[in-house]
Amino acid sequence: MNNLFVYCEIEDGVIADVSLELLTKGRSLATQLGCQLEAIVVGNHLEGIEKQVFPYGVDRLHIFDDTRLAPYTSLPHTSLLVNLFKEEKPQICLMGATVIGRDLGPRVSSALKSGLTADCTSLEIGSHEDKKEGKTYENLLYQIRPAFGGNIVATIINPEHRPQMATVREGVMKKEVYNADFKGETICHEVDKYVSDTDFVVSVLERNVAKAKNNLKGAPIIVSGGYGTGSKDNFKLLFDLAKVLNAEVGASRAAVDAGFCEHDRQIGQTGITVRPKLYIACGISGQIQHIAGMQESSIIISINSDPNAPINTIADYVITGSIEEVIPKLIKSYKKNSK
């Protein structure tokens, strides 16, 4: 009762990285709140799934295993969570801001009349004083996300209704094993108690999943370009540098909108979130929308002709100069010193 729940997505028997990131954050929040961390896994052939989940500090694992539950469809997954939450009455529920999370989260929150904050970039626990009502609320979930086109960072709270629900983007939270030998309680639920036959009115006849063209999320080095690269031809220099460094190429929204790069390489609030060991920002001004997607990088190098570019304030190293001048020199220097 009143515990913190994380809905774990699963694909081909593997828990999604975003779910493991949320379990890591959930463990920290649950410890702070003095409650249990509980996980939900829904799918088919889930034998041994505990080995993937328990090392992240999960106290209780709820398993719904049925051939009808994979691949994901909206109605049965919604019924499972809604009815489980009516029984368990969690205070917090976290999901990934993925295709599934963005479909499932609003359905569950609407059915429970609990509200939901989408695309959070940070989660914290704190208090809130309602001076008008003369009330003080303790241990609320601060659901933090960019708002108004990314021009401000909003902190959203839900004082009255439960569960407090939020979706979080992949890569925003760190994924860390809590205890490799941690053992929690496993609860295998009888699916038919939580769903009705009409929930399975939609069935998946054929499913095609396109593979990603790049590996930005897992790349240790990313060379990223913005509108300041100047042209599509100049942007190609980033691919030359990336090839030498064995890196991936990313882009800001401005560069994508200008046609310099494909949308699937966009990093930032409306793209993907990354946290590489090295992030080389080329011609990127550093608007908050972009910074939200890369600020957790271990080392940031900014290459910019504008010495006062906002991104320089968060960069570990700043190189002032044009892309067409600096990048060829970097390539030449790296080749010379890597022999």
Side-chain angles (χ1 to χ4, degrees):
M1 301 289 284
N2 295 318
N3 291 328
L4 189 155
F5 280 65
V6 174
Y7 173 82
C8 296
E9 294 185 31
I10 186 168
E11 181 71 34
D12 296 328
V14 179
I15 300 293
D17 281 348
V18 67
S19 300
L20 299 179
E21 292 164 9
L22 289 177
L23 289 177
T24 301
K25 185 63 177 181
R27 178 67 271 168
S28 174
L29 295 176
T31 299
Q32 189 175 349
L33 291 168
C35 69
Q36 290 191 325
L37 171 64
E38 307 198 28
I40 307 165
V41 180
V42 182
N44 188 218
H45 301 305
L46 301 178
E47 300 84 1
I49 201 68
E50 300 95 331
K51 296 177 182 178
Q52 296 184 49
V53 175
F54 283 149
Y56 291 87
V58 173
D59 297 297
R60 298 175 75 202
L61 172 60
H62 300 266
I63 294 179
F64 295 89
D65 194 337
D66 192 296
T67 55
R68 300 169 295 175
L69 296 175
Y72 170 86
T73 50
S74 302
L75 295 180
H77 283 241
T78 300
S79 292
L80 288 174
L81 263 64
V82 168
N83 290 319
L84 177 65
F85 287 174
K86 286 180 178 178
E87 289 180 357
E88 297 291 336
K89 294 180 171 53
Q91 60 173 310
I92 294 172
C93 172
L94 305 178
M95 298 182 184
T98 61
V99 172
I100 290 176
R102 287 171 174 151
D103 175 72
L104 182 62
R107 291 173 180 270
V108 175
S109 65
S110 178
L112 297 175
K113 297 179 173 60
S114 65
L116 178 146
T117 302
D119 291 332
C120 292
T121 55
S122 181
L123 299 170
E124 298 175 8
I125 300 298
S127 60
H128 171 68
E129 181 183 1
D130 188 334
K131 295 182 179 180
K132 184 176 181 180
E133 297 292 332
K135 294 182 180 180
T136 299
Y137 299 90
E138 301 292 342
N139 293 328
L140 291 178
L141 179 67
Y142 286 0
Q143 301 153 60
I144 302 168
R145 56 152 296 162
F148 292 100
N151 293 312
I152 66 169
V153 176
T155 299
I156 300 168
I157 58 171
N158 182 357
E160 300 287 352
H161 300 281
R162 296 293 179 271
Q164 302 165 87
M165 293 187 64
T167 61
V168 180
R169 298 179 57 181
E170 183 175 0
V172 170
M173 309 293 179
K174 289 184 179 180
K175 180 180 69 173
E176 294 179 340
V177 170
Y178 176 73
N179 182 346
D181 298 320
F182 193 91
K183 292 292 185 292
E185 177 187 2
T186 301
I187 304 172
C188 296
H189 293 278
E190 186 177 335
V191 173
D192 287 334
K193 288 184 178 180
Y194 295 84
V195 298
S196 64
D197 291 339
T198 56
D199 287 327
F200 297 100
V201 66
V202 175
S203 60
V204 179
L205 300 179
E206 183 178 350
R207 183 169 180 256
N208 295 304
V209 180
K211 292 185 178 180
K213 298 178 182 178
N214 56 66
N215 184 33
L216 277 171
K217 294 176 182 176
I221 303 175
I222 294 176
V223 180
S224 192
Y227 187 75
T229 54
S231 68
K232 194 170 185 177
D233 287 337
N234 282 351
F235 201 94
K236 292 177 181 177
L237 292 172
L238 276 61
F239 286 91
D240 296 336
L241 178 60
K243 185 177 181 180
V244 171
L245 299 177
N246 194 26
E248 285 284 357
V249 175
S252 69
R253 179 173 178 173
V256 172
D257 289 346
F260 297 169
C261 192
E262 302 87 357
H263 180 269
D264 61 358
R265 294 186 182 275
Q266 183 175 320
I267 294 170
Q269 182 186 343
T270 52
I272 64 172
T273 301
V274 297
R275 50 172 72 234
K277 294 180 180 179
L278 174 61
Y279 189 89
I280 304 176
C282 307
I284 294 175
S285 63
Q287 296 298 315
I288 189 173
Q289 295 93 330
H290 183 76
I291 290 176
M294 47 67 68
Q295 61 188 344
E296 295 298 324
S297 304
S298 298
I299 298 176
I300 300 171
I301 298 176
S302 172
I303 303 173
N304 206 300
S305 57
D306 179 7
N308 298 314
I311 198 167
N312 292 351
T313 62
I314 66 165
D316 298 283
Y317 303 96
V318 176
I319 301 174
T320 303
S322 65
I323 301 303
E324 54 268 38
E325 175 189 5
V326 174
I327 289 184
K329 290 183 178 180
L330 287 178
I331 294 173
K332 182 179 180 180
S333 177
Y334 183 81
K335 287 182 176 179
K336 179 180 179 181
N337 292 292
S338 61
K339 291 181 180 179

